[in-house]
Amino acid sequence: MQRENNLIISIGAVLMLLPIWWIAYRNTNFIADPFVVAAALPDFLMQPDTWSNIAITLYRVALGLAGGVVLGTLAALAMTQSKLAEQVLAIYVTTALRTPSAIAAIMALAIFRGAEIGYIVVVMFITFPFMAVGLRDGLKSADKDLAEAAQIYRLGPLRYIRHVLLPFIAPFIFSALRNAHALAWKVIVVAEIFGAARIGFGAQFDHAWEYMQMVQVHLWLLVFMAIVLAVEYGVLRVAERHVFRWRA
Amino acid sequence: MTGNKDTVLKVEGLGVSYAGNPAIASLDFEIKRGEFVAILGPSGCGKSSMLNVISGLLPPTRGVVEVENLPLYDAGRAAPKLGYVFQAHRLLPWRTVKQNLELVLAASDVPKDRWEGNIDRLLDILHIRQFKDSWPLQLSGGQRQRVSIARALLVDPSYILMDEPLSTLDEVTARSLRQELSGIWARTGATIVFVTHSIREAVYLADRIIILTRGPSTVFENYHVPIARPRAYDDPMIGEVEADIVRRVEGAWGLEPVKPREVA
Amino acid sequence: MTGNKDTVLKVEGLGVSYAGNPAIASLDFEIKRGEFVAILGPSGCGKSSMLNVISGLLPPTRGVVEVENLPLYDAGRAAPKLGYVFQAHRLLPWRTVKQNLELVLAASDVPKDRWEGNIDRLLDILHIRQFKDSWPLQLSGGQRQRVSIARALLVDPSYILMDEPLSTLDEVTARSLRQELSGIWARTGATIVFVTHSIREAVYLADRIIILTRGPSTVFENYHVPIARPRAYDDPMIGEVEADIVRRVEGAWGLEPVKPREVA
Amino acid sequence: MALSTPLQGAAMTPRRKVGTDRNVRLLGVTLAVASLFAIWTVLSITVRPWVPTPYDTALAMGRQLVSHSFYDNLFLTLGRVAAAFVAASIVGAVLGIAIGMNRKVEAFFQPLLALALAVPDPVFIIFAILALGTGEAAGFVALTMAVAPFVSNIVRSSVQARDKGLDEMTKIYRIPADKAFWVSLVPQLVPALLTAARFSFALSWKLVVVVEAIGQPDGIGAAIFHSFRLLRMREVLAIAILFIILMQLLEKGVLGRVEKRLLRWRQ
Amino acid sequence: QDVPEVRIQAVAGSLGGVPLMVMEAEGLDEKHGFAGVFELLPSDSAAQNFLIGNSDIAMDNDIIGVSIARTEGFDVTAFYPVGNLYMGIVVPGDSDAETPEDLIGMNVGHFGADSGTTMFIRSIVQEMYGFDVLEEYNFSQVGPAALVPLLESGDVDAIFNFESYVSEAMLATEGRYLLQAGSDYAEFTGGFAPWITNMVAHTSWLQDNPELAYAVRDAYDEAIAIMSESGYEILREDYIVSGLGITSPEVLDVLIENASTFDYFTNEWTPEIIEGGYGFLEGLAEEGLVITEVPEGVMVRLEDLVGEPDA
Ligand SMILES: Nc1ncnc2c1ncn2[C@@H]1O[C@H](COP(=O)(O)OP(=O)(O)OP(=O)(O)O)[C@@H](O)[C@H]1O
Ligand SMILES: Nc1ncnc2c1ncn2[C@@H]1O[C@H](COP(=O)(O)OP(=O)(O)OP(=O)(O)O)[C@@H](O)[C@H]1O
Ligand SMILES: O=C([O-])O
Ligand SMILES: [Mg+2]
Ligand SMILES: [Mg+2]
């Protein structure tokens, strides 16, 4: 019951954007007519091209994000386990953290000569420090009492990480993941735009923007939002509910 | 170092300070294999600190702790198996009762096909079988404490450290568990160090009671319980010994008198 | 509704369920102004749940709870002043003992110039004055519990709910605190609901003991303690009443027999 | 009972002496800088002329340090980063707390936040410019809108993980809500708030580069982009490195100190 | 078949892409013995795409950009011209401004101080009127396409842009050129005006593929011949209209008129022209606004670099 009510609120919040969109359309030059966009949507979604572009970007994001998460997690673990590693990695993390996305994109494209791996590396490079910082801060707040219990029962490092540490820092993991995921999408767009990608969401979006095809621009934005919402509600929330079911 | 084969735990001149403030002044005692030792001491005298040192969690500030004739931090040997009932339960809130127990089994050498049976037996003894699939946050204080006891007993420990394990249980449940604990100890021959505030409980359970002074603590008395086993909790003998100890500790722990006052 | 001016707390058909599982079946009792009532019940029978309902933290699943002749959740009235010693201490770890206490004073109407004096007096009574500037993480289990007691007494409460407040204290300290608590109760006329597992403690302190059954609980017995005040903890009378209650509860709480077994 | 668990969580790592700490720090910095330098040198040889040599970059850094425009740009950008950082941190924290405390508020804002996160930065910035013109306001609004959702995500997670026992305690002792907020909730959120501040700071900077590249003729980001358009990669790197060092010092100095102070109680 | 592939790029929406579209539509690549891979790329990334090596020939690079790239160690060179200066400053029809000086202190939109369009207009205004637009104008910066609605809505008083956006802007605002970079500058210098775009390639590619370079050049010659023979009416073809992103027939009318008036494409690549180009660059270098030196090899004739074509 509670959950259904909340669902209605959520849907209401999204629907509320429609009149805002319409008002914006009436009052500015660049916002497309929502009705025109809606009318164009079915055709847009019927085109196989639309889906192949989404697929390639999804692929880049998925691999890059996975790499960023793994790398960031390893870095965070290393940083909390060894003072030396913390010092060394802190500088790497800072460097990555502060590198403007567009510069990273161009460099990766130059280094990998425009190969597919370049896009994946950019996403990885930009998301990993955010994962690392989020998790390191979580690990730093790890519960001493539980660590001691793990030590007494000789859980060993792997079990300790998996069953004590990770659940404890799960809130940090989720916020880091959520943010890294959003960032990955932002970065891939920057990378596809500045990296002159031929296919992919960013390429299509930029192409439409270049030609001021505002209906197309809006269609791509809608697709983009749909994907991110789907991940939020289809993956992150579901996982969160499962992981935190003990909170009763 | 002593070659006494029977002495498995030796504490010599043990001192613990926190940031320079002494919590334990100096403790000396030995514990023999299979002995059931109770620790009695006023609140804040350093009992939990002492268990933390013995278990290897807390490095001592001063003194020597030897376990099985080797210094506490001897890295070379395989650590003896330990069960520890912490003063606060320290269960993982994100794992059900069963999952909390399975976790320590997985880290032990108990074969997997015996897990379920062992868990069920212990949960029966502790009267919490029906909470096997509950989350810790769904349990009452006493139920959580009992899960923590189950965890400590589950791993076939040769040493069991217990920090006021029965303090949050009602008298009937506590009696039943004292009896079970006695039985487990007799059957397994484990060495048990048992911190309690209940003097009667100490007398009923222990071979010997180490009575500590107020903190920073020293050993006030090594009290051998002169009652043969099996013992009955309501045995008047136990009451007599209890009364004797109460007299001693009243002298030893005697509170500084607090001036008469108004409290709003 | 009853017009009885003396009844300040009335519980009728109170039931509590968690996600459909009953913890309290149905409780009925009344408490008079200034009464000292102890609650005895087996672990997990719903004592903490009951205190949470009375304090307004937990909405009851069924039944009526009236405080001073008004339904518990009557929004119109100023809530009566309440002290609550939780089963787990619930101190703010980032505030020192003194700061934890000042926090509740600031929310009360105690004038600021009496804070320091009140805090010091209570810390003296509880024998923890020297920890005034310590962080909770630096305290022993019993010390934390005592800070939590100090907090509950500090705000001039007209109702005091205590959930096993003395369970983690040694006998000598506990005795001293029982005596102090008796004194505070007598002086202030507060209404006290006191959950304990120590039957002797209940007999020593309370006018009346509400004995609960195993969970989902009902009231097993309303036991009026037939001993005049002032009472002495070692008074044989108290021992007799204790023995009487033990007999009753053993019958009432009797554990399901557990089959003989081996535990590793 | 020599128990050793190789991995014990940071909280258990024994404190080392100050002198050792300093040595480790020095060694760490040396290792990191040396390895980065090695990677850079290799790249400058293999990915010529995209990656400039460290030497050329050092010269360019020197030139920047003595040029007026560098400092003008620096202060402009620092001001923008600071304004966006503060605004995004406050807006994000307030939202995050509201969402974490109340399921209904969460239900309302969470999809909107997810959407806000999904909007590519250039789009934010372009629409802000179109709506507000190319003045400072557009950049500020775009930055705040883009960064605040990140902050609120972090804060929300932490609010939901709070100790509800403490909520009950403050309720019993009738601590007024605003007071309870500051003494009970906020301290629990400190680790998350610090993380959020780091995020916010880092993202503000990343975005300011995009903002300045797209919509502002001045500032460090514009200077970097201008240099990039002119393919002066050594200038790009020189400006970026100088600014990164400065930001790092700021973050360490301010956040590091705040963190130490706020987490005293954990010893 | 085994026809060698040549990857040729132009900036999307820019006139520099039109010869590519014609080549593709008329099959001029096959005809001249290569398989063209024609790509129209967004302006944000076109330059680095080419520099990275993702295409062989770029149609939209100007000689200032080539100078900059060469100075920075990219061995690229302009081997043929493409577009005349089909750009300038556009004001709405009702604007009071008569010369660029009248815009001083006013709001002007452009798409980046580092764009060829702004750089050329800046240096031409500097030379003709003696002031630096970057100092004197109040600039707003958005992408080239977005500049049109900005001018239309009155947010800016003038824009710097290239075709076809110039035509779009003129139609939208009944506007006019305040400065037509090519013709106004030619008038000022008494004949010479630089051109805006070139065919640019890496020198190594030209040396490795001389016959392909010639083939592309020939295809281009043929393409612009087709255009001019049609009186630029060929611009009405659907593939060009969509390739340029032209939104209405009226824009097309303006564009065709502009094209006939200002003659937007060129293939004059004589030593004298190249000389003039260097002269222009040196002038820029002296002012030191965007470049400070003129490297060698910015412009080459294929004949000089790889020898005469095989017959
Ligand atoms: N949040 C909860 N969710 C589900 N079940 C709960 C929850 N809290 C308590 N229970 C269950 O309700 C029953 C009563 O719990 P409660 O804490 O009130 O017992 P208690 O009498 O205080 O026990 P103890 O003496 O051990 O503290 C128990 O069986 C417990 O498992
Ligand atoms: N981490 C700490 N930092 C500083 N002081 C501490 C710390 N832990 C314990 N102490 C102090 O050391 C003394 C002994 O504490 P300990 O917990 O060992 O007592 P205890 O005998 O177990 O008491 P209780 O019966 O109340 O649990 C106490 O005075 C306590 O304040
Ligand atoms: O600027 C970005 O980090 O996307
Ligand atoms: Mg203790
Ligand atoms: Mg309870």
Side-chain angles (χ1 to χ4, degrees), chain C:
Chain C
M1 316 228 167
T2 171
N4 187 341
K5 267 201 74 174
D6 265 333
T7 297
V8 288
L9 183 69
K10 186 171 152 190
V11 172
E12 248 177 32
L14 170 67
V16 172
S17 300
Y18 292 101
N21 298 319
I24 297 178
S26 178
L27 295 184
D28 295 272
F29 59 82
E30 300 192 352
I31 293 179
K32 296 203 185 358
R33 186 181 308 285
E35 210 180 357
F36 197 130
V37 174
I39 311 285
L40 273 179
S43 169
C45 77
K47 302 179 295 297
S48 299
S49 305
M50 186 190 93
L51 291 189
N52 281 342
V53 170
I54 294 177
S55 65
L57 290 177
L58 182 70
T61 312
R62 279 177 313 283
V64 178
V65 178
E66 278 179 19
V67 179
E68 304 198 345
N69 292 324
L70 285 172
L72 188 57
Y73 291 97
D74 188 310
R77 63 124 161 262
K81 268 199 275 174
L82 189 66
Y84 192 160
V85 181
F86 300 94
Q87 195 165 5
H89 54 81
R90 304 198 186 173
L91 300 172
L92 297 174
W94 40 85
R95 293 176 81 88
T96 62
V97 167
K98 181 170 168 232
Q99 290 167 342
N100 264 284
L101 298 178
E102 283 175 349
L103 180 63
V104 300
L105 281 173
S108 75
D109 45 16
V110 178
K112 199 153 183 172
D113 57 339
R114 287 179 48 207
W115 289 11
E116 184 95 19
N118 284 5
I119 289 176
D120 287 350
R121 265 195 300 277
L122 264 173
L123 293 183
D124 272 339
I125 290 181
L126 295 156
H127 312 289
I128 45 171
R129 171 96 169 253
Q130 70 266 43
F131 300 108
K132 196 168 153 182
D133 294 314
S134 300
W135 306 107
L137 286 180
Q138 298 175 324
L139 300 183
S140 79
Q143 289 161 350
R144 285 178 207 172
Q145 194 60 15
R146 282 180 277 169
V147 178
S148 169
I149 297 174
R151 183 173 60 188
L153 297 177
L154 203 53
V155 294
D156 297 344
S158 38
Y159 295 84
I160 307 176
L161 309 180
M162 299 182 129
D163 201 349
E164 308 183 26
L166 309 179
S167 67
T168 58
L169 298 177
D170 64 278
E171 200 37 47
V172 173
T173 308
R175 275 188 193 204
S176 150
L177 294 194
R178 278 180 209 121
Q179 202 178 329
E180 295 288 350
L181 188 60
S182 248
I184 290 170
W185 170 70
R187 279 197 303 280
T188 62
T191 308
I192 298 184
V193 183
F194 187 98
V195 170
T196 179
H197 287 309
S198 162
I199 299 174
R200 176 173 277 257
E201 182 171 277
V203 174
Y204 170 71
L205 285 172
D207 298 323
R208 184 158 52 105
I209 302 174
I210 298 179
I211 304 173
L212 304 180
T213 63
R214 294 212 154 269
S217 52
T218 56
V219 175
F220 169 70
E221 187 167 354
N222 246 301
Y223 193 101
H224 289 266
V225 179
I227 307 177
R229 297 179 189 266
R231 300 170 183 169
Y233 199 68
D234 295 311
D235 184 344
M237 272 277 281
I238 289 192
E240 276 163 40
V241 175
E242 183 190 4
D244 180 37
I245 295 178
V246 167
R247 264 189 310 278
R248 290 165 196 250
V249 301
E250 265 177 350
W253 302 351
L255 296 166
E256 322 76 68
V258 180
K259 305 132 261 162
R261 79 202 62 69
E262 283 299 306
V263 177

Side-chain angles (χ1 to χ4, degrees), chain D residues 8 18 40 43 51 69 75 84 86 90 96 155 157 159 162 172 198-199 201 209 217 222-223 226 228 231 261 263:
Chain D
Q8 312 179 336
V18 180
W40 182 1
L43 284 179
V51 181
S69 66
F75 288 119
V86 170
I90 292 175
V155 174
S157 287
V159 172
R162 75 190 180 280
I172 287 296
R198 291 206 179 87
F199 247 82
F201 198 50
V209 173
H226 185 65
F228 173 72
L231 298 171
R261 182 162 163 79
L263 296 179

Side-chain angles (χ1 to χ4, degrees), chain B residues 74-112:
Chain B
D74 188 312
R77 61 122 162 262
K81 268 199 277 176
L82 186 65
Y84 191 157
V85 182
F86 298 95
Q87 194 165 4
H89 54 82
R90 303 198 188 176
L91 298 174
L92 300 176
W94 43 84
R95 294 177 79 86
T96 62
V97 168
K98 180 169 168 233
Q99 290 167 341
N100 263 284
L101 299 178
E102 283 175 348
L103 185 61
V104 300
L105 281 173
S108 75
D109 46 15
V110 178
K112 197 152 185 171

Side-chain angles (χ1 to χ4, degrees), chain A residues 10 92 98 137 178 224 240, chain D residues 35 118 156 195 198 205 251:
Chain A
S10 296
Y92 274 85
R98 305 254 185 265
D137 288 355
R178 192 172 255 123
F224 200 53
E240 222 170 17
Chain D
S35 57
R156 173 196 88 115
T195 307
R198 291 206 179 87
W205 148 245
E251 185 188 306

Side-chain angles (χ1 to χ4, degrees), chain E residues 284-306:
Chain E
L284 279 187
E286 266 161 42
E287 281 166 26
L289 282 182
V290 287
I291 52 173
T292 50
E293 55 179 319
V294 182
E296 304 223 307
V298 173
M299 291 162 274
V300 294
R301 295 172 71 243
L302 283 180
E303 290 79 357
D304 299 332
L305 183 72
V306 299

Side-chain angles (χ1 to χ4, degrees), chain B residues 49-94:
Chain B
S49 304
M50 185 190 94
L51 291 190
N52 281 341
V53 171
I54 294 177
S55 65
L57 291 176
L58 183 69
T61 313
R62 278 177 314 283
V64 179
V65 178
E66 277 180 18
V67 179
E68 304 199 343
N69 292 324
L70 285 170
L72 188 56
Y73 290 99
D74 188 312
R77 61 122 162 262
K81 268 199 277 176
L82 186 65
Y84 191 157
V85 182
F86 298 95
Q87 194 165 4
H89 54 82
R90 303 198 188 176
L91 298 174
L92 300 176
W94 43 84

